[in-house]
Amino acid sequence: MSSTGTQQHPPTALIVGASRGLGHAMAAEFLDRGWNVVGTVRDTTARTPLHELADHADGRVTIEHLDINDPDHLPPLHERLAHRRLDVLFVNAGTTNNEQTPIGAVPTADFIDVMVTNALSPMRVIEALEDLVPPAGLLGAMSSGQASITNNTTGGREVYRGSKAALNMFMRSFAARQPETQRAFVLMAPGWIRTALGGPDAPFTIEDTVPLLVDVLLSRLGTPGLAYLDRFGQTVPW
């Protein structure tokens, strides 16, 4: 149990984009560690692994509807969560395009979709809900090692790389605007993982990776400032 909460008042994590894959696994991991979880789903009509998790969680998992690309969803979500203390707010939602298309050949619509989903929308969520996170809490987003400009020696996945690099820049600006804060800010680079986004050839499994990701997030609680970290808690070069 984190020091953020007590047995009477366990801490709460909001995982944005928790219907499946990494987000669902993170929700399950926080739940296993004694936390309450709020997870968002985009589709209100289909059951997801998050619903299965909630069915067996004794009321400790709350499911909320959020399409991160629809700003109109954020004020109602804030109102529904206004009575909750969110010790961790983590935005996991993301997308990609055809990985082999060089940047000069990417259709404008694809570029806009990836950039809005991966860079603009996560920051809208964070800025809209940040006041629900206490001074000792954490705000984070799923970045990527491929966002590292320093480490990009091969090219490829260029719109995806650019969108996550933009997310890093926006998060850095967000943190710089509040230099006196006691909150932790984390950009997470999880590695290449076998998910719907990562594909079947990825070398790492969700089961191996997610406990490490949650370890890193919990280790940052109470540490002010922004960090860009891999799943082992090592700093990734910008």
Side-chain angles (χ1 to χ4, degrees), residues 11 27 34-35 48 55 83 102 108-109 113 167 179 185 202 206 219 228:
W35 285 54
T48 71
D55 286 346
H83 66 290
T108 300
D113 178 56
L167 171 65
F185 305 115
I206 288 177
S219 75
Y228 176 27

Side-chain angles (χ1 to χ4, degrees), residues 97-111 156-160:
N97 69 319
N98 186 323
E99 300 173 4
Q100 305 307 317
T101 307
I103 186 63
V106 171
T108 300
D110 288 358
F111 179 86
R157 304 196 77 189
E158 291 166 16
V159 176
Y160 180 80

Side-chain angles (χ1 to χ4, degrees), residues 22 99 144 146 157 160 190-209 231:
L22 278 178
E99 300 173 4
S144 169
Q146 295 185 54
R157 304 196 77 189
Y160 180 80
W192 187 13
I193 306 167
R194 268 174 255 155
T195 63
L197 190 66
D201 297 329
F204 305 117
T205 67
I206 288 177
E207 293 76 15
D208 292 338
T209 303
R231 65 188 181 282

